[in-house]
Coordinates of all heavy atoms in Angstrom, one line a residue:
F1 N -124.6 39.6 -54.9 CA -124.4 39.5 -56.4 C -123.9 38.1 -56.8 O -124.3 37.5 -57.8 CB -123.3 40.5 -56.9 CG -123.7 41.9 -56.5 CD1 -123.2 42.5 -55.4 CD2 -124.4 42.7 -57.4 CE1 -123.6 43.8 -55.1 CE2 -124.7 44.0 -57.1 CZ -124.3 44.6 -55.9
A2 N -122.9 37.5 -56.0 CA -122.3 36.3 -56.4 C -123.1 35.0 -56.3 O -123.0 34.2 -57.2 CB -121.0 36.1 -55.6
V3 N -123.9 34.9 -55.2 CA -124.7 33.7 -55.0 C -125.7 33.5 -56.2 O -125.7 32.4 -56.7 CB -125.4 33.7 -53.6 CG1 -126.4 32.6 -53.5 CG2 -124.3 33.6 -52.5
P4 N -126.5 34.5 -56.5 CA -127.4 34.2 -57.6 C -126.7 33.9 -58.9 O -127.1 33.0 -59.7 CB -128.2 35.5 -57.8 CG -128.1 36.2 -56.5 CD -126.7 35.8 -55.9
A5 N -125.6 34.6 -59.2 CA -124.8 34.3 -60.4 C -124.3 32.9 -60.4 O -124.3 32.2 -61.4 CB -123.7 35.4 -60.6
A6 N -123.8 32.5 -59.3 CA -123.2 31.2 -59.1 C -124.2 30.1 -59.3 O -124.0 29.0 -60.0 CB -122.5 31.0 -57.8
L7 N -125.4 30.3 -58.8 CA -126.5 29.3 -58.9 C -126.9 29.2 -60.4 O -127.2 28.0 -60.8 CB -127.7 29.6 -58.0 CG -127.4 29.5 -56.5 CD1 -128.6 30.1 -55.7 CD2 -127.1 28.1 -56.1
I8 N -127.0 30.3 -61.0 CA -127.4 30.3 -62.5 C -126.3 29.5 -63.3 O -126.6 28.7 -64.1 CB -127.6 31.7 -63.0 CG1 -128.9 32.3 -62.3 CG2 -127.8 31.7 -64.5 CD1 -129.0 33.8 -62.6
T9 N -125.1 29.9 -63.0 CA -124.0 29.2 -63.7 C -123.9 27.7 -63.4 O -123.7 26.9 -64.4 CB -122.6 29.9 -63.3 OG1 -122.7 31.3 -63.5 CG2 -121.5 29.3 -64.0
L10 N -124.2 27.4 -62.2 CA -124.2 25.9 -61.8 C -125.3 25.2 -62.6 O -125.1 24.1 -63.1 CB -124.3 25.8 -60.3 CG -124.2 24.4 -59.7 CD1 -122.8 23.9 -59.9 CD2 -124.5 24.4 -58.2
T11 N -126.4 25.8 -62.6 CA -127.6 25.2 -63.4 C -127.2 25.0 -64.9 O -127.5 24.0 -65.5 CB -128.8 26.1 -63.2 OG1 -129.1 26.3 -61.9 CG2 -130.0 25.5 -64.0
F12 N -126.5 26.0 -65.4 CA -126.1 26.0 -66.8 C -125.2 24.8 -67.0 O -125.4 24.0 -68.0 CB -125.4 27.2 -67.2 CG -124.7 27.2 -68.6 CD1 -125.4 27.3 -69.7 CD2 -123.4 26.9 -68.6 CE1 -124.8 27.2 -71.0 CE2 -122.7 26.8 -69.9 CZ -123.5 26.9 -71.0
F13 N -124.2 24.6 -66.2 CA -123.3 23.5 -66.4 C -123.9 22.1 -66.1 O -123.5 21.1 -66.7 CB -122.1 23.7 -65.5 CG -121.1 24.7 -66.0 CD1 -120.8 25.8 -65.2 CD2 -120.6 24.7 -67.2 CE1 -119.9 26.8 -65.6 CE2 -119.7 25.6 -67.7 CZ -119.4 26.7 -66.9
I14 N -124.9 22.1 -65.2 CA -125.7 20.8 -65.0 C -126.3 20.3 -66.3 O -126.3 19.2 -66.6 CB -126.7 21.0 -63.8 CG1 -126.0 21.1 -62.5 CG2 -127.7 19.8 -63.8 CD1 -126.9 21.4 -61.3
F15 N -127.0 21.3 -67.0 CA -127.7 20.9 -68.2 C -126.8 20.8 -69.4 O -127.1 20.1 -70.4 CB -128.8 21.9 -68.5 CG -130.0 21.8 -67.5 CD1 -130.1 22.6 -66.4 CD2 -130.9 20.8 -67.7 CE1 -131.2 22.5 -65.6 CE2 -132.0 20.6 -66.8 CZ -132.2 21.5 -65.8
A16 N -125.6 21.5 -69.3 CA -124.7 21.5 -70.5 C -123.9 20.2 -70.5 O -123.4 19.8 -71.6 CB -123.8 22.7 -70.4
G17 N -123.6 19.7 -69.4 CA -122.7 18.5 -69.3 C -123.4 17.2 -69.8 O -124.5 16.9 -69.3
S18 N -122.8 16.6 -70.8 CA -123.4 15.4 -71.4 C -122.5 14.2 -71.2 O -123.0 13.1 -71.4 CB -123.7 15.6 -72.9 OG -122.5 15.9 -73.5
G19 N -121.3 14.4 -70.9 CA -120.3 13.3 -70.8 C -120.1 12.8 -69.4 O -120.3 13.6 -68.4
S20 N -119.8 11.6 -69.2 CA -119.5 11.1 -67.9 C -118.4 10.0 -68.0 O -118.2 9.4 -69.0 CB -120.8 10.5 -67.2 OG -121.2 9.3 -67.9
V21 N -117.7 9.8 -66.9 CA -116.7 8.8 -66.8 C -116.6 8.3 -65.4 O -116.8 9.1 -64.5 CB -115.4 9.3 -67.4 CG1 -114.9 10.5 -66.5 CG2 -114.3 8.2 -67.4
E22 N -116.3 7.0 -65.2 CA -116.1 6.5 -63.9 C -114.7 7.0 -63.4 O -113.7 6.5 -64.0 CB -116.2 5.0 -63.8 CG -117.7 4.5 -64.0 CD -118.6 4.9 -62.8 OE1 -118.0 5.2 -61.7 OE2 -119.8 5.0 -63.0
I23 N -114.7 7.8 -62.4 CA -113.4 8.3 -61.9 C -112.9 7.4 -60.8 O -113.7 7.1 -59.9 CB -113.5 9.7 -61.4 CG1 -114.0 10.7 -62.5 CG2 -112.2 10.3 -60.8 CD1 -114.3 12.1 -62.0
K24 N -111.7 6.9 -60.9 CA -111.1 6.1 -59.9 C -111.1 6.8 -58.6 O -110.9 8.0 -58.5 CB -109.7 5.6 -60.3 CG -109.7 4.8 -61.6 CD -108.3 4.4 -61.9 CE -108.2 3.6 -63.2 NZ -106.8 3.2 -63.6
P25 N -111.2 6.1 -57.5 CA -111.1 6.7 -56.2 C -109.8 7.5 -56.0 O -108.8 7.0 -56.3 CB -111.2 5.5 -55.2 CG -111.9 4.5 -55.9 CD -111.5 4.6 -57.4
Q26 N -110.0 8.7 -55.6 CA -108.8 9.6 -55.5 C -108.2 9.6 -54.1 O -108.9 9.6 -53.1 CB -109.3 11.1 -55.8 CG -109.9 11.3 -57.1 CD -108.9 11.1 -58.3 OE1 -107.9 11.7 -58.3 NE2 -109.3 10.3 -59.2
A27 N -106.9 9.5 -54.1 CA -106.2 9.5 -52.8 C -106.1 10.9 -52.3 O -105.6 11.8 -53.1 CB -104.8 8.9 -53.0
Y28 N -106.5 11.2 -51.1 CA -106.3 12.5 -50.6 C -106.2 12.4 -49.1 O -106.7 11.5 -48.4 CB -107.5 13.4 -51.0 CG -108.9 12.9 -50.4 CD1 -109.3 13.3 -49.1 CD2 -109.7 12.0 -51.1 CE1 -110.5 12.9 -48.6 CE2 -110.9 11.6 -50.6 CZ -111.3 12.0 -49.4 OH -112.5 11.5 -48.9
D29 N -105.6 13.4 -48.5 CA -105.5 13.5 -47.0 C -106.3 14.7 -46.6 O -106.0 15.9 -46.8 CB -104.0 13.8 -46.7 CG -103.8 13.6 -45.1 OD1 -104.7 13.7 -44.4 OD2 -102.6 13.5 -44.7
L30 N -107.4 14.4 -45.8 CA -108.3 15.4 -45.4 C -107.7 16.5 -44.6 O -108.1 17.7 -44.6 CB -109.5 14.8 -44.6 CG -110.7 15.7 -44.2 CD1 -111.3 16.3 -45.5 CD2 -111.7 14.9 -43.4
V31 N -106.6 16.1 -43.8 CA -105.9 17.1 -43.0 C -105.4 18.2 -43.8 O -105.3 19.4 -43.3 CB -104.8 16.3 -42.2 CG1 -104.0 17.4 -41.4 CG2 -105.4 15.3 -41.3
K32 N -105.0 17.9 -45.0 CA -104.3 19.0 -45.8 C -105.3 20.0 -46.4 O -104.9 21.1 -46.9 CB -103.6 18.3 -47.0 CG -102.4 17.5 -46.6 CD -101.7 16.9 -47.8 CE -100.5 16.1 -47.3 NZ -99.7 15.5 -48.4
V33 N -106.6 19.7 -46.2 CA -107.7 20.7 -46.6 C -108.0 21.6 -45.5 O -108.5 22.7 -45.7 CB -108.9 19.9 -47.0 CG1 -110.0 20.9 -47.6 CG2 -108.6 18.9 -48.1
I34 N -107.6 21.3 -44.3 CA -107.9 22.1 -43.1 C -107.5 23.5 -43.2 O -108.2 24.4 -42.8 CB -107.4 21.4 -41.8 CG1 -108.1 20.1 -41.6 CG2 -107.5 22.3 -40.6 CD1 -107.7 19.3 -40.4
P35 N -106.2 23.8 -43.6 CA -105.8 25.2 -43.7 C -106.7 26.1 -44.5 O -107.0 27.2 -44.2 CB -104.4 25.1 -44.3 CG -103.9 23.8 -43.9 CD -105.1 22.9 -44.0
Y36 N -107.2 25.5 -45.6 CA -108.2 26.3 -46.5 C -109.5 26.6 -45.8 O -110.0 27.7 -45.8 CB -108.4 25.5 -47.8 CG -107.3 25.5 -48.8 CD1 -107.1 24.4 -49.6 CD2 -106.4 26.6 -48.8 CE1 -106.1 24.4 -50.5 CE2 -105.3 26.5 -49.7 CZ -105.2 25.5 -50.6 OH -104.1 25.4 -51.5
L37 N -110.0 25.5 -45.1 CA -111.3 25.7 -44.4 C -111.1 26.7 -43.3 O -112.0 27.5 -43.0 CB -111.7 24.3 -43.9 CG -112.1 23.3 -44.9 CD1 -112.4 21.9 -44.2 CD2 -113.3 23.7 -45.7
T38 N -110.0 26.6 -42.6 CA -109.7 27.5 -41.5 C -109.7 29.0 -41.9 O -110.3 29.9 -41.3 CB -108.4 27.2 -40.8 OG1 -108.4 25.8 -40.3 CG2 -108.2 28.1 -39.6

């Protein structure tokens, strides 16, 4: 159920988004993402 719904929603937001901004490089520590991935 979720995958088709997510893909449709993603497509909607791709076409709905009209604004853009240059986002400065974000500081992050990849190690801190590991618990979530695990």
Side-chain angles (χ1 to χ4, degrees):
F1 303 90
V3 170
L7 292 175
I8 294 172
T9 303
L10 189 63
T11 302
F12 168 81
F13 285 124
I14 288 175
F15 287 100
S18 58
S20 66
V21 62
E22 288 294 337
I23 301 176
K24 297 179 180 179
Q26 302 291 309
Y28 64 90
D29 189 341
L30 187 59
V31 174
K32 294 182 178 180
V33 184
I34 292 178
Y36 288 150
L37 294 173
T38 303

